[in-house]
Amino acid sequence: MQGTLDDRLVALVDTVVPADDRPSASQAGAMAFLQSLLVERPEWGARFDDVAEHGTTSTHWDWFAELVAGGHYADPANGGNADAASWRMVDWHPEPIGGWPVPVPVDTARPTTVHPAALEDRYDAVVIGSGAGGGVAACGLAEAGRRVLVVEAGDWPSTGELAEDHLRNPRSDWGLLPRSGPTDDRDVRVRDDGRTQLTIRPSDPGWNANAATAGGGTRVYGAQAWRFAPLDLRMASTYGVPDGSALRDWPIGYDDLEPYYARAEWEVGVSGGSDDGRWAGARSRPLPMPPVAAGPSRERLAAAAATLGFGTVHVPLLINSTPWLGRRACAGCNQCVGFACPVDAKNGSQNTMLTRAFATGRAQVVLRTRAARLRTDGAGRVVGVTLVGTADGRDWSRDVDAAEVVVAAGAIESARLLLNSRSDQEPTGIGNRADMVGRHLQGHVYGGATGLFDDVVEDLVGPGPSIATTDHRHGTDGIVGGGMLANEFVATPSNTYRYLVAAGLLPRAGAASKDGMRHLVRRTMRLMGPIQEVTSADSRVRVDEHVVDRYGIPVARLSGSVHAEDLRARDATSARSAEWLRAAGAVRVAEVGGTPVGPSGGQHQAGTLRMGSDPSHSVVDDHGRVWGHDNLRVTDGSVHVTNGGVNPVLTILATAMRSVEDMTRP
């Protein structure tokens, strides 16, 4: 971007967003925005030069146009939306209707963290990961009198750092690292399609993101708090095992989990309705809070569902609809999923379970640290962990002993850790005698549709999800399982642009694109939902001996793909979404489709250390104990045999509570 190249790029960014009665891209700061990106992604300079040289015929034009538009419609701090000009144009605002009802805190109180140099030689328990399952483990063990060290690979960013950036959050896909982590593009993984192996970075598609920050994904998630249904735990006996699938039943049933679902709903905090629909199991207690307030879009969708014969329910959320456990109620802002909550009304590990753990005085957290391997003695018993990290500009390594170890690093990293923890007794990794560690990687394939309306349907009442149908989680002819379907979170304008372009409902660039955004941001509605995946033993995590991270640890190598039955269920969900939108008055509808590349994982990753009653077919028992290791437990989604047709976090909380109760039983 030297000399005349800058002049040519000015003309090209204004081809993407031309001037009219509102500023063009360059007038809104596009050049400064692009220049700032080169600090993070210097390799993009060659792409910019190619676009400057070849204009709209460049092979990078589509990417460039979307990047320019992304900056134009993103938060002003990114530099491409000076004075929030595009937000006024599209009639969007981040704050609640009527403004903030209470002062917005600028930070979230952080606990006293332990510096790596001050680590003790031995703890009663080491918990690896601080997300949903790790937080429950830390809390339960500390409250039972154990001295606990929580190991977190990420940092503890302030609320302000996680509450505003539209281009660096888990719901954005602009090639920039999310502020919720991982924040080092050297944390690579390898994707193996059987023919080629591609090294992928956290900022690349296919890395399968999982937040690396204190609180894990619960810090920035959408917080949908569904229970798995009884049939979700008996998929194989209900549907049989499709060819090429490794579908199995859970070794426990709904009744085994129900008390812990109720505990999670009350101890962490869930708002919602009286039930989860026709396939739901019985409840021992109602939810502690009523549903979060919703706008008129809920009534529109409810009426449309009634004409189609769909039952509807409120969406349960780990978000306070009323003050709960000493924290505020949701203010109804429009930056929820992917962001930290400005009023601390979103309930995550960092402000519930970890807070309780630290309050005992028996728990510490060490940040920017990861477990390189689990250490064993001569008999193969786990005796501690080897920790690595970077502090004060220097890499360090330290062995820490522990009476008990809990692994809760997410399905990919938890499997990687066990595979990298080899001993004479288990030369292929701890728990891997039956070659089960890392297999059955699953997440959620999503179906859905986007609809355009003639009238305004987006009322900017956040969080957004307020109505769902769960009728089709099971019982659909020709489909194995199914899933929930709900209206989506209020989207940022930059994400709305991306959704509309991807759906073929908006031109990528030019006056028609700008006019479309002006007209459609408040006239667009999305319905989305996850489907049950039938799991495959070939969808898996291995470790790559030839690619290591900065500490010399072999990285995760991902292989496999989603099953054909998953795509059939996805397509059925997309068709149902389109039907619902049309019944609600949509004049144009685009369904989600296509064939995903690589295995499923993402933020709902699960299954790699599956639970079972037989060590030849599973990695852990029904309390999360790794077979052959009485003092090693897993408390994240890795233990899920199947992942439900709903968001899995409440099940992670429930299974973790059940495991920790077993650990601490006298």
Side-chain angles (χ1 to χ4, degrees):
M1 296 175 64
Q2 301 293 324
T4 57
L5 292 182
D6 283 359
D7 296 334
R8 282 180 283 180
L9 281 179
V10 169
L12 289 166
V13 300
D14 287 347
T15 299
V16 178
V17 183
D20 47 24
D21 60 322
R22 302 283 183 170
S24 68
S26 68
Q27 290 168 343
M31 298 307 296
F33 166 66
L34 295 178
Q35 190 68 54
S36 71
L37 296 182
L38 294 180
V39 176
E40 293 179 63
R41 302 300 300 265
E43 71 275 18
W44 286 359
R47 298 188 189 182
F48 292 161
D49 289 345
D50 188 76
V51 171
E53 183 69 23
H54 299 288
T56 59
T57 63
S58 168
T59 56
H60 300 295
W61 170 253
D62 289 352
W63 166 83
F64 176 81
E66 292 187 21
L67 190 65
V68 169
H72 186 73
Y73 295 114
D75 58 293
N78 269 294
N81 183 18
D83 197 30
S86 72
W87 288 0
R88 290 195 302 277
M89 181 187 79
V90 302
D91 192 22
W92 187 92
H93 51 81
E95 69 275 1
I97 294 174
W100 294 103
V102 294
V104 180
V106 297
D107 206 348
T108 296
R110 289 174 47 160
T112 301
T113 59
V114 59
H115 190 278
L119 288 170
E120 299 177 22
D121 292 331
R122 180 178 178 82
Y123 292 85
D124 295 326
V126 171
V127 177
I128 301 164
S130 67
V136 166
C139 177
L141 293 171
E143 290 184 340
R146 267 66 153 195
R147 290 183 308 109
V148 180
L149 175 67
V150 180
V151 179
E152 172 52 53
D155 210 328
W156 197 302
S158 69
T159 296
E161 290 175 87
L162 298 181
E164 296 180 352
D165 197 321
H166 289 199
L167 303 183
R168 295 171 186 82
N169 68 74
R171 271 297 179 103
S172 63
D173 182 20
W174 304 94
L176 303 171
L177 288 168
R179 297 198 183 281
S180 56
T183 55
D184 189 339
D185 233 359
R186 293 172 294 181
D187 285 334
V188 300
R189 290 173 177 164
V190 174
R191 190 171 68 209
D192 183 353
D193 66 2
R195 299 180 302 277
T196 60
Q197 296 185 16
L198 177 67
T199 299
I200 50 178
R201 300 170 297 186
S203 55
D204 294 332
W207 192 86
N208 284 305
N210 216 12
T213 190
T218 69
R219 187 86 191 274
V220 292
Y221 63 174
Q224 293 197 33
W226 300 94
R227 295 182 176 200
F228 283 8
L231 289 185
D232 293 346
L233 309 178
R234 301 198 305 272
M235 289 285 290
S237 58
T238 301
Y239 295 99
V241 180
D243 290 343
S245 167
L247 193 64
R248 294 183 75 87
D249 290 347
W250 286 54
I252 57 177
Y254 177 83
D255 289 344
D256 296 303
L257 280 179
E258 199 287 328
Y260 304 98
Y261 277 136
R263 273 189 58 191
E265 289 162 349
W266 281 78
E267 292 185 28
V268 183
V270 175
S271 59
S274 59
D275 68 87
D276 286 351
R278 61 182 295 194
W279 301 104
R283 289 180 174 273
S284 58
R285 298 181 76 180
L287 294 179
M289 292 176 280
V292 171
S297 56
R298 186 182 197 282
E299 285 67 38
R300 176 190 285 257
L301 286 168
T307 67
L308 298 171
F310 296 171
T312 59
V313 297
H314 290 277
V315 178
L317 296 168
L318 285 146
I319 296 175
N320 296 342
S321 60
T322 61
W324 185 251
L325 299 177
R327 289 180 296 104
R328 299 164 171 156
C330 174
C333 78
N334 299 303
Q335 294 181 155
C336 187
V337 66
F339 301 94
C341 179
V343 298
D344 207 27
K346 190 188 305 188
N347 303 322
S349 179
Q350 82 290 341
N351 59 7
T352 59
M353 291 299 170
L354 286 179
T355 300
R356 283 171 50 181
F358 298 137
T360 67
R362 291 184 289 270
Q364 299 175 319
V365 60
V366 59
L367 302 172
R368 300 177 296 280
T369 300
R370 66 182 60 209
R373 61 191 59 84
L374 304 176
R375 296 168 41 244
T376 55
D377 62 16
R381 177 178 173 80
V382 173
V383 295
V385 297
T386 297
L387 301 179
V388 296
T390 303
D392 306 322
R394 301 179 63 180
D395 292 349
W396 60 271
S397 176
R398 172 82 181 272
D399 288 346
V400 174
D401 293 341
E404 298 173 299
V405 176
V406 177
V407 178
I412 293 174
E413 290 299 317
S414 290
R416 176 193 177 199
L417 174 60
L418 267 63
L419 291 169
N420 277 323
S421 302
R422 300 168 185 171
S423 67
D424 291 341
Q425 290 77 16
E426 295 176 287
T428 62
I430 283 180
N432 200 33
R433 289 187 175 94
D435 191 28
M436 287 287 106
V437 172
R439 292 187 181 274
H440 316 111
L441 174 63
Q442 58 193 286
H444 274 138
V445 174
Y446 267 72
T450 300
L452 304 183
F453 293 76
D454 286 334
D455 55 330
V456 170
V457 292
E458 178 49 72
D459 42 54
L460 298 184
V461 177
S466 58
I467 185 171
T469 181
T470 58
D471 285 5
H472 313 289
R473 289 176 68 169
H474 295 282
T476 301
D477 289 343
I479 299 298
V480 178
M484 172 276 301
L485 185 61
N487 59 332
E488 261 284 14
F489 293 87
V490 176
T492 64
S494 56
N495 276 0
T496 296
Y497 165 86
R498 204 69 176 275
Y499 298 148
L500 292 174
V501 169
L505 299 173
L506 181 77
R508 184 171 282 107
S513 178
K514 188 175 184 180
D515 287 343
M517 283 292 290
R518 191 192 320 253
H519 181 73
L520 294 176
V521 164
R522 298 284 295 270
R523 293 175 173 82
T524 297
M525 185 182 293
R526 298 175 72 234
L527 299 175
M528 298 290 290
I531 57 95
Q532 292 265 13
E533 295 186 12
V534 302
T535 81
S536 165
D538 295 328
S539 183
R540 66 186 301 188
V541 179
R542 297 182 178 92
V543 292
D544 196 307
E545 300 296 338
H546 304 291
V547 183
V548 298
D549 65 16
R550 66 182 294 171
Y551 307 108
I553 309 167
V555 305
R557 176 157 55 97
L558 312 179
S559 58
S561 59
V562 299
H563 195 280
E565 289 295 338
D566 301 336
L567 298 182
R568 282 162 41 81
R570 187 275 316 273
D571 291 345
T573 297
S574 294
R576 190 165 293 115
S577 303
E579 182 183 16
W580 194 0
L581 287 168
R582 290 189 182 99
V587 294
R588 291 183 64 192
V589 175
E591 297 179 19
V592 171
T595 302
V597 176
S600 180
Q603 294 165 14
H604 292 178
Q605 60 190 240
T608 56
L609 306 175
R610 70 176 359 179
M611 179 191 297
S613 55
D614 182 346
S616 66
H617 295 291
S618 58
V619 179
V620 304
D621 68 13
D622 67 351
H623 285 100
R625 183 188 296 106
V626 175
W627 292 111
H629 294 277
D630 289 343
N631 65 337
L632 177 62
R633 305 268 183 154
V634 182
T635 61
D636 60 17
S638 307
V639 305
H640 291 186
V641 182
T642 50
N643 211 23
V646 292
N647 304 53
V649 68
L650 199 72
T651 301
I652 294 174
L653 294 169
T655 55
M657 287 178 173
R658 185 172 182 270
S659 294
V660 173
E661 183 178 86
D662 184 69
M663 290 179 73
T664 57
R665 186 174 289 121

